[in-house]
Amino acid sequence: MTESSSTTLAPEKVEVQKGWGGQSLKRKEDKRLLQGEGVFVDDVKRHGMGYLHFVRSPYAHAHITRIDVSAAEAMEGVYGTLTGEEVAALTEPFFQISSVPGANIKDYALAVGKVRYVGEAVVAVVAETRELARDASELVEVDYEPLPALVDARQAQEPGAPVLHDDAGGNLMWSGLYSWGDVDSAFAEADRVIEIDELHFHRFNSTPLECDGALVEFNRGVEQWTIHTNNQFPGFAAIMMGPAMQVGLDKLRFVTQDIGGGFGNKITSHPQLVVCCLLARKLNRAIQWTEWRTDFHMSMSHGNERWFQETKVAVSSDGTLLGFKTKALDDAGAWLRYEPLGGVIWAQVTPGMYRWRHIELEFTQVATNKAPVSPNRGYSRMQHLWFTERIIDIVAHELGLDPVEVRKKNYIRAEDMPYETPNGCVYDSGDYARMLDLALELIGYDGLGARREQAKANGKLLGVGIGSTLDSGTNNFGQSRMINPELQFSGNNEVATVKLDIFGEIVVTLGTTPQGQGHETTAAQVVADILKCSPDDVHVRAGHDSYWNSHAGFSGTYASQFAVTGLGAVKGATEMLRDEIFKLAGAVFGGVPAEALELADGGIRIKESPDAFLPFMACGAIINANNAGLPEDLDVTLNCRYVYRPPFQVPDVEKKFGNLTLTYAAQIHVAVVEIDPETGYYEIVDYAAVDDCGKRINPQIVEGQVMGATAQAIGAAMHEIYEYDEDGNLLTPNFYDYHVPHALDMPPLATGAIESPSPFTPLGTKGMGEGGGAGIHAISAAIQDATGKTVTNSHNPYQRVWELLQ
Amino acid sequence: MDVSVTVNGTTYARDVEPRKLLIHFLRDDLDLTGSHVGCDTGNCGACSVLVDGVLVKSCMLLAVQANGASIETVEGLSENGELTPLQQSFNEHHALQCGYCTPGMLMSATALLRENPSPSEDEIKKALQGNICRCTGYWNIVEAVKAVGK
Amino acid sequence: MLLREVEYVKPGSVAEALELLAANDGARALAGGQTLINVMKARAASPDMLVDLNGLPELKGIELASDGTLAIGAMTTYTELMRSAEAKARPILGEVCATIADVQVRNRGTIGGNVCSNDPTNHLPPLMVAVGATMTVLGAAGAREVPAEEFFLGVYMTAVGPGELLTKISIPAGKKDGFAAVTLGADGTCLANAAATVNGSVRVALGCVDAVPVVVTAGSPDGIADAVRSAGLDPPSDVHASAEYRLHLTTVVATRAAEEAASR
């Protein structure tokens, strides 16, 4: 039996980087995590803390006619409650990103007057123990007047459809028309126009194993909250919570340490955090909130469900793709928590990996009585890239062409890079054709014909499919103005501090909130390379804390950017520190110029006479405790804070044109499926994934991300879906029915990598945490190949495959 | 109800409600927060521990059922902060990312290796089938366990 | 995730367990807990008292009689059954148990618990019906033997009444058995399953299609699919399979189980 995974590098030699960057250093994080000594939010305890349980709506859509908490409050051990009415009195509605009509909806931390999805939080109960809070929640009386539920986005704008938000005057939340190139001419000149009636990308998310949670304390004297939580984008949470609670952002201290997975799904917990804050103040005690699996499935961060309707593709008969038109209908669920940014974020990858120039996309986002949508790994690009890949394979199928050849014919080429897309985004670097070749080699593409025959002899259908995906990283938040021109956001940033302590210890703080990406380790590698020491000498603080003053407006870990923004900040801060060490040493050695000095062996010395050596410990001691006699104008603190700011302009909002992301990592996946035609049951029997994220600081960590994303894609393609019945009940509210892959479900995996460094980033790196959506398409394509039938859905459970074959 | 439980060699006597799950007893009453909760239907295995040498999901056992038992959790694997060969292998093979499933994985792997010191890949996957991971895709975890095989 | 208040008792004997169950209306037997504890977490059912059957030697053990009959204690775990030399007399038993969920569940979950919960997607109810098992039900009035075909009465309902316990499952000798299922992922929940034995003709017990296992028979495996189709089945529809698809899967797994049984 072949090894379950093997890693091969690309045939050509990857530039060997001297130093720590480029080495697969073992992770610093592991020691504590392997011993069960990580600190996840539910591990944090405070004396006398109250445990919070949410009373949730059993209805998808209903008026709330009465709430009575008196029985619950009377129960022994209950500390108190919070209702929507109180929330509405104490807070302003959350800021809406959307322009009208979405801008008009009023979103509070608890349901006010109405519930709009099953599982929506209505009342919060706090008690002495978890169990008592749960018991007390059963004593809360809520009367509802049920309303018809809207569960299909395609019906959201039909006359008579139930309306979720009267303030918005209908279920339309946001719409926009994107059009670039000369779409009409392209279609007029095309040899063929291929029409695709409807493609559907389904609703699911990454179900991080740890659910959301918080422990919130309120310091009455200084009116400040300390929010221990696993929210992965505290910058965003603060911006949403501050105005709602009408407090300055410095009154909201966010503390995270270890986070059990995020994948974007831990960005929009600010409503629950507001509830915790209000209760911490009201009840004068720390509030502990644990989200249970079912709560998460019912209420948190579903990925965008999107239809692509009336798609038309202009092609030449030789398979050159000229352009496409489509209508994208996006189901946002009951509230816009990070939406409608999904309405523009897809445009980071408008043409996918392909050179077509004439594109029109009409984007419509509507509300439905389902859990609110917010970012999920590959946020809004995954949907669009699956769509472009579907076009490739459907066009190839229609024209009787090889999907490999159609891709290669249409891929943007390495020599085209940096490549400006029709809407002004700039793909920094990449070589997709070479990646595809490598992936095909890894899967043994030439031998697949024989495998197909073998499968046929066994009564099975074998199919192979390709998925190519771009992982656009480091957002330009100016794109939000295409959603709402009045927004005052643009650019991006991340912060790091690096200092030498009094005993010479190198201490780094990050603004990021890692959930397993190994930030402590890769940051240490970068610092060690600059200061010429060992990563073991670099202490990177675990997690995130607003008290460190190591954050800015966009700080957090999301949107594939740490390798650029986080490490860019680390590099900047370390170089500042390095320059200060040189200045200090120069002064201490009596006026020696910087060129005559060098870093080595954990200190700094005169090149020509290395005995003149100042260890880091001496540097730290001098500045912190022994600084008499230093030149007055010596501007050295050895405590350096750097804000990395990527080079962005504000996009042209009217033309919807401009650079929306700084880097474009890529992944190309190939999946081989074997279908039992009698049942539709199928397995992934072979798999290859090739990644290009520019310079890899820690190749093993990069490969880990590729593997994890692959597994998630397999789960999403085969099983995972948030499916609702016609009354708006979620049919997959836990891991029993929402099936995620387990160890036995994993195919053999071969991985490969090439490095196309980014010309735009401080280290030539690209963020790459989200690129696995390729797997969803590879499986769609493999099923199409095996069955000979057109696949129009991203979710392909056994029944759908069987139905394709009937 | 009074219970007496030995965990990682230390015996604890506590008064607990019958309804308290063993996982909550470990985490909340004994402050052994290394074992985790990842679901509410007994599917994810993040709570896996050894009870009298038998691998179980501690979310499906009541604390009172563990009365008199000897329990091993992740905190008891290493000694004096020294990683065991299994833990080191996880580190070498990058078999953890967020680390949330890791304690459960280590307990399941420990149970396997005690019984089968040289497991095949298929045997390892079968042994880890009750432990969900969302970060790694399992491949590196399987490699890490295989590498410790004799 | 958090249980309602419940009393807990650990009886020292089966007799004591029966007394407790008879005397307390809201008492439930706690076997492996791999189903019941989850039901209680969801608060779908909340017994007033749990009578813990773990540690009662009378409910454990696997005996192989000289005529090949297996007597399996109701509190035998799946793992114990898989490891039992005696149980290898009827190999299908261990083979099927090995596909249930995962190691942790198999270490605690019991044969008795599986049949007494009678979830339609469980593996053992159809298997017990196919192999012609007999259940020993013990109550204050004594023990009675209930054939598997009469044991399963409805969803989560069996012939074990209030104040009674399943103590033993007896399985006659045989080797021509088969089991087939389509599951949600490897070793996952069954979308359709069937257990077959061949003893001259073919006898297949279908799970997943009704509240209790449904028996169909045919002269040979190729007749089974038709037998399934003409059995008047109305399978449930859920998020994993429509009624129509489930029925189709059932014809396939029933045939495969029958073919496996015939080939042994």
Side-chain angles (χ1 to χ4, degrees):
Chain A
M1 173 134 192
T2 54
E3 261 183 50
S4 82
S5 88
S6 59
T7 304
T8 57
L9 287 179
E12 331 52 76
K13 216 161 160 26
V14 170
E15 181 198 310
V16 172
Q17 300 167 80
K18 272 171 58 176
W20 302 105
Q23 292 193 42
S24 289
L25 229 63
K26 295 192 294 191
R27 296 192 336 162
K28 288 168 167 286
E29 293 86 338
D30 288 1
K31 187 160 191 288
R32 66 180 186 269
L33 295 171
L34 286 165
Q35 296 183 84
E37 288 173 350
V39 179
F40 297 88
V41 69
D42 200 69
D43 302 341
V44 181
K45 301 173 185 186
R46 290 292 181 267
H47 179 72
M49 64 189 185
Y51 292 84
L52 187 156
H53 190 91
F54 284 108
V55 177
R56 295 177 181 274
S57 169
Y59 293 103
H61 199 193
H63 289 299
I64 301 170
T65 55
R66 183 183 74 100
I67 297 181
D68 186 345
V69 297
S70 52
E73 293 208 333
M75 197 178 119
E76 198 184 319
V78 171
Y79 294 138
T81 62
L82 192 76
T83 64
E85 205 181 301
E86 285 175 86
V87 171
L90 292 167
T91 66
E92 294 294 307
F94 289 119
F95 171 75
Q96 289 300 321
I97 291 166
S98 189
S99 51
V100 167
N104 294 337
I105 72 180
K106 295 204 176 15
D107 185 9
Y108 289 97
L110 289 174
V112 176
K114 216 181 161 193
V115 290
R116 294 174 175 84
Y117 66 99
V118 172
E120 183 165 20
V122 178
V123 174
V125 180
V126 180
E128 196 182 330
T129 70
R130 300 181 192 279
E131 288 84 1
L132 283 174
R134 176 71 183 85
D135 292 344
S137 72
E138 287 179 342
L139 298 179
V140 171
E141 292 169 27
V142 186
D143 291 343
Y144 297 97
E145 207 176 85
L147 297 164
L150 173 69
V151 292
D152 190 332
R154 293 170 294 183
Q155 288 154 12
Q157 293 186 274
E158 269 162 40
V163 171
L164 272 80
H165 301 281
D166 290 326
D167 293 319
N171 294 317
L172 176 69
M173 293 289 104
W174 188 84
S175 65
L177 176 64
Y178 296 88
S179 188
W180 305 286
D182 188 344
V183 180
D184 293 331
S185 307
F187 276 83
E189 285 164 23
D191 291 329
R192 290 266 317 255
V193 172
I194 311 261
E195 295 193 7
I196 307 170
D197 183 38
E198 189 176 88
L199 295 170
H200 177 241
F201 194 95
H202 70 293
R203 182 181 263 255
F204 67 93
N205 68 15
S206 305
T207 66
L209 196 62
E210 182 205 31
C211 298
D212 299 87
L215 189 145
V216 179
E217 305 171 88
F218 181 61
N219 180 325
R220 289 190 113 63
V222 298
E223 291 182 312
Q224 187 197 47
W225 286 270
T226 298
I227 302 165
H228 299 266
T229 185
N230 47 27
N231 183 297
Q232 66 181 102
F233 192 174
F236 177 75
I239 289 171
M240 296 304 274
M241 291 169 69
M245 292 165 60
Q246 299 178 287
V247 298
L249 299 199
D250 199 57
K251 296 301 184 187
L252 302 169
R253 174 187 174 192
F254 289 87
V255 182
T256 75
Q257 191 187 296
D258 296 299
I259 301 180
F263 316 113
N265 300 161
K266 288 184 163 126
I267 290 177
T268 54
S269 55
H270 53 278
Q272 294 97 319
L273 297 180
V274 167
V275 171
C276 292
C277 287
L278 295 177
L279 280 164
R281 184 173 64 191
K282 177 181 178 185
L283 304 180
N284 196 20
R285 64 174 68 239
I287 302 296
Q288 201 278 356
W289 165 53
T290 299
E291 181 183 64
W292 304 113
R293 173 62 45 197
T294 302
D295 301 329
F296 175 86
H297 281 222
M298 286 204 298
S299 69
M300 270 310 272
S301 211
H302 288 190
N304 298 62
E305 182 182 1
R306 193 171 297 167
W307 282 264
F308 297 91
Q309 298 169 314
E310 298 170 41
T311 301
K312 295 180 179 34
V313 189
V315 297
S316 306
S317 31
D318 68 352
T320 305
L321 305 170
L322 305 172
F324 67 84
K325 287 199 260 196
T326 191
K327 296 183 179 171
L329 174 65
D330 196 90
D331 179 343
W335 293 102
L336 305 178
R337 294 270 154 84
Y338 203 82
E339 295 303 317
L341 286 180
V344 68
I345 280 177
W346 69 270
Q348 297 169 6
V349 294
T350 297
M353 286 181 158
Y354 306 102
R355 289 203 316 279
W356 38 18
R357 304 295 305 178
H358 311 286
I359 293 168
E360 185 179 287
L361 186 145
E362 199 182 302
F363 193 99
T364 305
Q365 187 173 70
V366 297
T368 60
N369 292 114
K370 300 183 194 172
V373 151
S374 53
N376 179 48
R377 197 174 198 175
Y379 179 40
S380 196
R381 289 98 79 219
M382 176 166 57
Q383 289 79 350
H384 187 75
L385 290 163
W386 177 83
F387 163 70
T388 59
E389 291 293 283
R390 274 291 73 216
I391 289 180
I392 300 298
D393 276 11
I394 289 173
V395 164
H397 187 72
E398 288 275 319
L399 298 182
L401 298 173
D402 177 359
V404 173
E405 293 313 313
V406 176
R407 282 186 170 78
K408 287 192 174 173
K409 179 181 276 292
N410 289 281
Y411 273 157
I412 296 162
R413 296 163 299 217
E415 57 264 32
D416 299 328
M417 302 291 186
Y419 177 82
E420 189 181 84
T421 70
N423 60 317
C425 290
V426 180
Y427 292 1
D428 48 357
S429 61
D431 189 343
Y432 311 138
R434 196 170 124 219
M435 290 173 75
L436 178 56
D437 281 338
L438 181 55
L440 294 174
E441 193 189 311
L442 287 171
I443 205 78
Y445 191 68
D446 292 338
L448 281 176
R451 288 179 73 174
R452 234 186 262 271
E453 289 308 307
Q454 177 66 46
K456 204 161 144 203
N458 293 336
K460 300 272 175 35
L461 301 172
L462 196 92
V464 60
I466 298 162
S468 24
T469 202
L470 289 169
D471 188 355
S472 48
T474 305
N475 276 353
N476 176 358
F477 280 91
Q479 65 200 269
S480 64
R481 299 186 192 198
M482 295 190 207
I483 296 294
N484 180 355
E486 290 176 27
L487 292 176
Q488 297 297 303
F489 299 115
S490 70
N492 200 333
N493 52 37
E494 191 49 272
V495 184
T497 72
V498 185
K499 62 171 177 165
L500 275 191
D501 256 348
I502 191 169
F503 293 137
E505 191 187 19
I506 303 165
V507 179
V508 180
T509 69
L510 305 171
T512 56
T513 53
Q515 322 104 33
Q517 299 92 332
H519 290 185
E520 291 160 49
T521 305
T522 51
Q525 290 175 257
V526 170
V527 173
D529 270 341
I530 296 169
L531 296 182
K532 306 275 184 276
C533 61
S534 158
D536 291 339
D537 300 326
V538 180
H539 171 63
V540 182
R541 288 204 198 144
H544 174 103
D545 190 334
S546 315
Y547 264 14
W548 297 341
N549 194 24
S550 182
H551 65 286
F554 296 115
S555 284
T557 300
Y558 58 94
S560 301
Q561 57 188 41
F562 175 73
V564 174
T565 61
L567 291 182
V570 168
K571 176 174 186 276
T574 312
E575 287 171 348
M576 279 172 74
L577 180 68
R578 178 198 59 197
D579 294 346
E580 288 198 359
I581 292 170
F582 273 79
K583 268 200 241 178
L584 175 64
V588 168
F589 288 143
V592 175
E595 315 80 71
L597 301 168
E598 66 183 359
L599 290 172
D601 299 336
I604 184 164
R605 63 187 180 199
I606 299 179
K607 284 182 193 170
E608 300 296 306
S609 43
D611 285 345
F613 175 71
L614 209 58
F616 288 153
M617 177 154 139
C619 299
I622 289 168
I623 285 296
N624 282 292
N626 190 12
N627 55 39
L630 288 175
E632 243 181 76
D633 61 352
L634 185 69
D635 186 12
V636 167
T637 63
L638 297 187
N639 189 338
C640 302
R641 180 179 187 272
Y642 184 84
V643 181
Y644 168 76
R645 196 181 68 223
F648 284 133
Q649 304 297 321
V650 178
D652 182 331
V653 171
E654 222 189 283
K655 299 202 181 92
K656 300 190 170 78
F657 188 93
N659 196 9
L660 307 184
T661 25
L662 192 64
T663 62
Y664 288 80
Q667 288 190 30
I668 295 189
H669 293 208
V670 182
V672 180
V673 304
E674 191 176 85
I675 301 174
D676 175 356
E678 267 198 295
T679 58
Y681 178 89
Y682 67 101
E683 285 176 357
I684 320 280
V685 294
D686 219 340
Y687 204 101
V690 176
D691 159 78
D692 180 0
C693 61
K695 282 249 194 304
R696 296 172 296 164
I697 302 297
N698 189 317
Q700 192 179 44
I701 287 180
V702 165
E703 189 196 35
Q705 291 294 308
V706 173
M707 290 172 154
T710 297
Q712 287 189 349
I714 290 173
M718 294 182 74
H719 302 295
E720 296 178 47
I721 184 168
Y722 285 124
E723 190 154 324
Y724 287 79
D725 69 14
E726 64 207 6
D727 296 320
N729 295 305
L730 179 62
L731 299 173
T732 51
N734 52 51
F735 274 157
Y736 187 76
D737 281 305
Y738 185 100
H739 181 77
V740 303
H742 294 236
L744 285 170
D745 296 318
M746 293 292 98
L749 174 69
T751 62
I754 66 171
E755 289 187 356
S756 306
S758 175
F760 302 146
T761 64
L763 294 160
T765 55
K766 305 180 189 185
M768 55 71 61
E770 295 180 87
I776 298 176
H777 187 266
I779 293 169
S780 294
I783 292 171
Q784 177 164 312
D785 183 49
T787 60
K789 304 292 175 70
T790 307
V791 168
T792 57
N793 212 302
S794 57
H795 185 235
N796 291 286
Y798 313 140
Q799 176 164 348
R800 180 160 278 130
V801 174
W802 179 74
E803 284 168 351
L804 276 175
L805 291 167
Q806 300 316 299
Chain B
M1 267 184 103
D2 288 325
V3 291
S4 171
V5 192
T6 303
V7 187
N8 302 327
T10 302
T11 304
Y12 303 88
R14 294 283 189 278
D15 179 17
V16 290
E17 280 192 292
R19 62 165 158 174
K20 176 157 275 194
L21 300 173
L22 179 59
I23 182 61
H24 285 141
F25 178 68
L26 292 170
R27 289 182 52 77
D28 296 343
D29 292 42
L30 302 185
D31 290 326
L32 293 166
T33 56
S35 309
H36 297 143
V37 172
C39 78
D40 50 17
T41 48
N43 289 99
C44 81
C47 64
S48 300
V49 299
L50 297 170
V51 176
D52 290 332
V54 177
L55 184 74
V56 301
K57 292 177 181 174
S58 61
C59 71
M60 291 193 283
L61 214 63
L62 303 174
V64 292
Q65 289 186 280
N67 185 33
S70 179
I71 299 178
E72 294 168 82
T73 70
V74 64
E75 289 96 336
L77 290 179
S78 59
E79 238 178 82
N80 300 320
E82 292 293 313
L83 297 184
T84 64
L86 177 65
Q87 288 167 320
Q88 281 178 44
S89 189
F90 267 57
N91 179 230
E92 273 152 28
H93 289 86
H94 189 37
L96 60 152
Q97 291 181 27
C98 81
Y100 200 72
C101 76
T102 305
M105 288 286 180
L106 288 169
M107 299 320 290
S108 295
T110 298
L112 170 69
L113 291 167
R114 281 185 188 169
E115 209 173 292
N116 184 353
S118 280
S120 69
E121 202 173 285
D122 284 341
E123 285 168 334
I124 296 169
K125 287 184 186 178
K126 189 87 173 174
L128 300 180
Q129 179 67 356
N131 293 79
I132 292 176
C133 173
R134 295 259 63 193
C135 294
T136 69
Y138 308 100
W139 288 283
N140 284 350
I141 298 175
V142 172
E143 288 299 301
V145 178
K146 189 136 157 256
V148 187
K150 306 217 178 335
Chain C
M1 182 62 185
L2 300 160
L3 278 54
R4 290 203 182 100
E5 276 182 20
V6 67
E7 267 184 76
Y8 169 87
V9 190
K10 193 154 190 227
S13 67
V14 169
E16 198 187 322
L18 287 172
E19 272 169 37
L20 288 161
L21 289 168
N24 297 282
D25 241 353
R28 279 285 291 269
L30 174 62
Q34 306 302 282
T35 298
L36 182 55
I37 304 265
N38 287 332
V39 166
M40 292 174 72
K41 282 177 194 167
R43 299 196 173 197
S46 299
D48 299 321
M49 173 190 283
L50 289 174
V51 178
D52 191 350
L53 302 180
N54 285 281
L56 293 176
E58 301 135 278
L59 299 177
K60 292 291 242 188
I62 302 177
E63 277 164 28
L64 179 60
S66 48
D67 67 350
T69 305
L70 277 167
I72 306 175
M75 283 297 287
T76 302
T77 66
Y78 307 120
T79 297
E80 283 164 350
L81 191 138
M82 285 157 62
R83 291 180 177 172
S84 151
E86 289 81 2
K88 299 222 179 333
R90 194 126 197 191
I92 194 75
L93 301 171
E95 287 165 15
V96 170
C97 285
T99 66
I100 297 178
D102 53 60
V103 171
Q104 293 93 320
V105 168
R106 294 194 289 269
N107 283 345
R108 289 290 301 183
T110 65
I111 314 297
N114 192 297
V115 303
C116 287
S117 59
N118 193 26
D119 182 306
T121 65
N122 280 2
H123 298 66
L124 296 190
L127 183 60
M128 293 299 107
V129 170
V131 301
T134 304
M135 281 52 169
T136 303
V137 179
L138 184 64
R144 62 181 199 286
E145 308 293 313
V146 182
E149 267 194 82
E150 294 163 31
F151 182 79
F152 302 102
L153 302 178
V155 178
Y156 314 137
M157 277 186 355
T158 67
V160 179
E164 294 187 318
L165 279 174
L166 171 71
T167 59
K168 192 174 66 176
I169 300 177
S170 304
I171 299 184
K175 276 201 172 26
K176 289 180 83 67
D177 302 316
F179 187 92
V182 175
T183 59
L184 191 59
D187 291 356
T189 311
C190 295
L191 308 188
N193 65 24
T197 46
V198 167
N199 202 349
S201 63
V202 183
R203 184 184 139 85
V204 182
L206 311 172
C208 303
V209 291
D210 205 339
V212 301
V214 175
V215 175
V216 298
T217 57
S220 67
D222 2 338
I224 286 294
D226 276 336
V228 172
R229 281 190 279 265
S230 43
L233 297 174
D234 184 21
S237 209
D238 63 24
V239 68
H240 304 301
S242 67
E244 187 205 345
Y245 179 59
R246 188 167 260 115
L247 180 61
H248 168 75
L249 288 181
T250 303
T251 63
V252 177
V253 298
T255 304
R256 289 179 181 175
E259 285 167 349
E260 185 191 339
S263 72
R264 291 223 198 199

